[in-house]
Amino acid sequence: MIDNQAVRDMVSRVKDEIARMPHDCILDFDRIPIQDMNGPITVFSRRDMKDAAQRLMKSYKLIPERDIESDKPGMKGRVITILKRAARKSLRFYIEPICEQQTELNHLFACGFRQFTLAFTDMRPDIAKMDDHEDRIIRLEKLAKVNRARQGK
Amino acid sequence: MKIIQMLPTIAYGDAVGNDCAAIYKILKDDGWDTAIYAENIDYRLPKGFAHRVSDMPSLSANDILIYHLSTGTELNKRLKDYPCRKVIFYHNITPPDFFKLYDPISFELCRSGLAQARAIAPHAEYCIADSEFNRQDLIRMGYRCPIDVAPILIPFEDYDKEPDADTMRQYSDGKINILFTGRIAPNKRHEDLIRAFAALHRDEPNSRLILAGSYQDGDRYAKRLKRYVRELELEESVVFTGHISFASILALYRTASVFWCMSDHEGFCVPLVEAMYFDIPIVAAASTAIPWTLGGSGVLLDEKNPELTAAVTRELMSDEVLRKKVVEGQRARLADFGYDRTADLIRRYLRRVIEGRVAEETAVDMAEGDAGVYAPEGSGI
């Protein structure tokens, strides 16, 4: 007879410990859509969408002024830099409202995309189910076609 | 009297093929006129080892046909037409529902296999099942003939062969290797292994899950598993080996830290015995034949909680005394699957059939509790 009392004790202790501990929720396999047999269905990856939403939230803001330098050496380079800065400053009245407008638009888009990503993540089990239904319909259609062919219709 | 073995497909190195070869040797050694017939014969098997079913000689009422039942096939339907005594070696048929979403061919093979297995029941004189679970499966399917249990014959000397050097190097990099071997199939519940690994990897980033098993290109279940791994951001730490050589499998066993099994359906589960052979502590979820095969050894979990699997694995990694105890228990269980011991058991069972003593002796065994020679303590079986 195999004496595994020590193992049973350990499992029992570990069960108690994990019951008391908070845990991250691990994505359930059922939320992963099934791919069609005839080729992959284009479904956005939850992670890819989350990454894109994060990148958008970081980079939606347009900045009208940046550090201006010249790659020309010496006095010539310094003069060119001063002239560029002056030109940029003199055009600021024109560029800044455009940047603000674009920033606002980008921000709205980034927020909207983030909301969409969250909503999409919640919908994934339903999408997976729809994929399954679609797959079944395709198979049934194929079966019906074969049956019709057999019956000579 | 002829004793013929028949099966749909005889493959090189698989469990049923090995069993078939071992039974052939037992019968041959005992001086019987015996042969193996199959519809599909693996080209890697020695020429003349197995013959086509179409070449099978005619059988008489005295002859014995040993049939290996493991899938749906036309042979199952034809079995009743052979005018001889019929002995069934039952290796289990996976319930078709596992394949419903992924593989219509496997679904159909298993569905028809189970229906055909039920139809064979009245024609079987005697059955040998790989495990107590398989014995119960036969009873559930309406088999009323005597049924004995004998584990799959495993040629352990093959495991002492040289492992693949490249694979040894690749996985001897100091990482914790969690191993599961077995083809990628929905009943093996690879998703539960991945999910448990996500819990383990969170606290043990120096760990790796190796899923050693073959799958076809375009396999929907494999695709879905890979997507799951991507979603969990574990691409760097979960390895799908695909089909690999036997030497590579040996290397994986030799470099494994812990063996996991989360299958929902196993008729025997040879990889558990392989893990025992390589002294790898096993953490497995209790289902179907797994408690029987472990026989009280390893760490058997009664629930599939990924946090529990991960925490138990961490205990095994950190507590050397516990690990040793688990491995010792597994060694004790491994002795039950010794080749000679199992071969003797099968020889004893086959002699009963040949000498027509099946009904009496199986009844005596049952009365004496000997039918459970391999029944594990505390397994509830």
Side-chain angles (χ1 to χ4, degrees), chain B residues 63-139:
Chain B
D63 295 329
I64 296 174
L65 180 62
I66 297 174
Y67 184 62
H68 293 266
L69 177 61
S70 62
T71 187
T73 162
E74 283 297 306
L75 275 188
N76 294 348
K77 291 184 195 167
R78 299 207 309 259
L79 190 68
K80 65 176 175 2
D81 301 329
Y82 289 97
C84 58
R85 300 165 67 193
K86 295 164 194 90
V87 172
I88 308 292
F89 265 69
Y90 182 55
H91 303 282
N92 198 270
I93 298 172
T94 308
D97 281 353
F98 283 109
F99 300 101
K100 204 169 187 175
L101 290 176
Y102 302 106
D103 181 355
I105 295 171
S106 297
F107 174 82
E108 187 48 35
L109 282 175
C110 294
R111 191 201 59 74
S112 61
L114 285 175
Q116 291 158 0
R118 281 185 208 103
I120 290 170
H123 306 283
E125 178 184 327
Y126 174 60
C127 295
I128 295 181
D130 292 338
S131 63
E132 178 58 26
F133 173 76
N134 283 353
R135 194 173 82 89
Q136 296 299 331
D137 213 19
L138 286 171
I139 293 168

Side-chain angles (χ1 to χ4, degrees), chain A:
Chain A
M1 181 189 164
I2 295 163
D3 174 26
N4 62 2
Q5 189 57 46
V7 173
R8 282 199 292 272
D9 291 347
M10 179 272 287
V11 173
S12 166
R13 176 173 54 78
V14 168
K15 269 187 182 177
D16 285 348
E17 282 171 12
I18 62 167
R20 286 197 300 269
M21 278 159 51
H23 290 294
D24 295 343
C25 177
I26 302 168
L27 176 70
D28 200 280
F29 182 66
D30 291 339
R31 286 174 173 264
I32 303 298
I34 300 168
Q35 286 176 308
D36 190 81
M37 287 164 74
N38 304 318
I41 294 173
T42 313
V43 178
F44 290 104
S45 149
R46 186 180 65 97
R47 196 179 116 202
D48 292 349
M49 289 180 71
K50 212 170 77 182
D51 287 352
Q54 272 171 357
R55 279 204 307 276
L56 267 177
M57 290 304 284
K58 276 181 193 164
S59 61
Y60 68 84
K61 201 169 180 181
L62 290 183
I63 305 157
E65 279 183 64
R66 282 173 296 168
D67 280 345
I68 296 166
E69 282 177 12
S70 169
D71 49 4
K72 296 276 189 276
M75 182 58 78
K76 198 177 173 183
R78 281 201 289 275
V79 171
I80 290 171
T81 304
I82 290 165
L83 286 174
K84 274 187 177 174
R85 277 184 189 152
R88 185 65 63 88
K89 271 192 180 169
S90 65
L91 287 170
R92 190 178 173 136
F93 78 98
Y94 177 69
I95 293 169
E96 207 166 55
I98 297 173
C99 281
E100 278 171 8
Q101 206 178 5
Q102 189 62 49
T103 296
E104 198 183 338
L105 186 70
N106 288 356
H107 186 241
L108 279 173
F109 179 76
C111 290
F113 185 70
R114 194 156 175 268
Q115 291 295 327
F116 174 75
T117 305
L118 293 172
F120 180 77
T121 307
D122 289 344
M123 280 165 56
R124 283 173 63 88
D126 298 326
I127 292 171
K129 269 185 207 159
M130 279 164 64
D131 285 345
D132 294 347
H133 291 322
E134 188 191 357
D135 183 52
R136 280 181 204 169
I137 289 167
I138 291 168
R139 272 190 287 166
L140 282 171
E141 281 173 349
K142 278 182 189 165
L143 199 66
K145 210 172 160 184
V146 170
N147 283 340
R148 276 200 299 275
R150 273 190 193 150
Q151 289 163 4
K153 287 179 188 171

